Amino acid sequence: MRRPMVAGNWKMHGTRASVAELIEGLANLALPGGVVDVAVFPPSLHVSLVVDCLEGQSISVGAQNCAHQAGQGALTGEVSSTQLADAGCKFVLVGHSERRQIMGESNEVLNRKFEAVQAAGLTPILCIGETLEERKAGKTLEVVGQQLDSIIEELGIGAFVNAVVAYEPVWAIGTGLTASPEQAQEVHAAIRAQLMKENSEVAQGVRLLYGGSVKAANAVELFGMPDIDGGLIGGASLNADEFGAIIRAAGN
Ligand code: PGA
């Protein structure tokens, strides 16, 4: 049985004051005990603050990005997976569409980031998804398949023993448009089938999260699909009560 996971991607939001308020809200949530893994992904600037404030809570902390190499070194402006681990992170997002599209991160760079995350003992959450043009052109499974294949070819199927995959259709991120449960399930099933071709045990164990305008109002239906093991939540994770309702939906 795969334990559901709900991850909150705060993106470039928050001040010290608003982060403290959000954490207080999270700490006061009545969360289903031991049935859902919950993690929040603050901007790296706020990681230490969030780790400290969540001490003793069953909510993990992750980072939204890291350098393409682990350890320490001459890389001005970067933060490594090793430093994130030292700060108390457990997960790192790799290949969010905003980084692929706006920051121009290629599959080659993302392969190295994925590897660097695991080298530091952390778990990568690999984000993959198609644009609206690609979906309209009937290329969804091809595009998602290539993004996944890049990691499989470079690092092997074994790399997915300690990894999570998030399917996030680019057209659904921050737009209020959500993939229907059936549309999302179709892609999730294809992702699992692709992993299954390499190793069925690994494929059965990997958690596949859906992301893209998930809210409390649509979470139950999405999380009810057989290959959707939880969600990667952007906007709705900035509201503790809404995020709590999404977590409860994953626990049911
Ligand atoms: P959204 O973002 O929930 O605001 O659509 C999801 C994400 O980008 O991870």
Side-chain angles (χ1 to χ4, degrees):
M1 263 304 273
R2 297 180 294 271
R3 187 206 283 258
M5 176 171 187
V6 173
N9 174 12
W10 296 357
K11 307 194 181 187
M12 198 173 68
H13 291 289
T15 60
R16 288 177 63 85
S18 73
V19 163
E21 202 178 310
L22 180 52
I23 294 170
E24 197 181 318
L26 294 176
N28 289 333
L29 291 174
L31 297 179
V35 290
V36 183
D37 287 340
V38 180
V40 292
F41 294 73
S44 54
L45 178 66
H46 294 135
V47 159
S48 290
L49 172 68
V50 175
V51 168
D52 288 349
C53 293
L54 285 176
E55 208 191 319
Q57 304 282 333
S58 56
I59 301 178
S60 304
V61 179
Q64 301 170 16
N65 178 42
C66 69
H68 62 277
Q69 66 185 50
Q72 301 183 35
L75 262 184
T76 303
E78 290 294 288
V79 175
S80 78
S81 51
T82 312
Q83 293 170 313
L84 293 167
D86 182 53
C89 281
K90 299 277 181 262
F91 300 91
V92 183
L93 302 183
V94 175
H96 188 281
S97 67
E98 286 149 20
R99 298 212 57 90
R100 289 181 190 265
Q101 301 211 313
I102 303 171
M103 311 309 288
E105 292 186 355
S106 63
N107 281 338
E108 289 67 39
V109 165
L110 296 172
N111 290 344
R112 294 191 62 190
K113 291 194 175 193
F114 189 105
E115 197 173 19
V117 172
Q118 291 188 330
L122 304 182
T123 302
I125 300 185
L126 176 71
C127 305
I128 56 181
E130 82 288 1
T131 63
L132 188 58
E133 294 73 53
E134 289 162 342
R135 175 162 282 267
K136 281 185 178 157
K139 292 195 168 144
T140 298
L141 298 185
E142 186 188 323
V143 168
V144 169
Q146 280 166 358
Q147 291 168 338
L148 188 64
D149 224 25
S150 170
I151 301 283
I152 300 175
E153 278 178 13
E154 187 73 20
L155 304 175
I157 185 69
F160 288 89
V161 171
N162 173 32
V164 176
V165 178
Y167 166 58
E168 298 203 301
V170 179
W171 49 271
I173 294 178
T175 58
L177 298 172
T178 318
S180 68
E182 294 73 24
Q183 280 175 322
Q185 167 59 24
E186 184 197 12
V187 180
H188 281 232
I191 292 168
R192 205 178 301 285
Q194 189 173 344
L195 296 170
M196 196 83 84
K197 275 197 275 173
E198 307 289 327
N199 183 311
S200 66
E201 201 182 320
V202 173
Q204 291 296 350
V206 179
R207 287 182 291 188
L208 307 182
L209 312 183
Y210 168 79
S213 298
V214 177
K215 303 173 198 64
N218 57 27
V220 173
E221 273 195 301
L222 284 161
F223 298 166
M225 302 310 277
D227 286 294
I228 301 183
D229 306 312
L232 178 54
I233 322 301
S237 72
L238 295 170
N239 178 308
D241 291 333
E242 181 81 7
F243 191 56
I246 295 170
I247 295 165
R248 284 193 292 279
N252 289 332

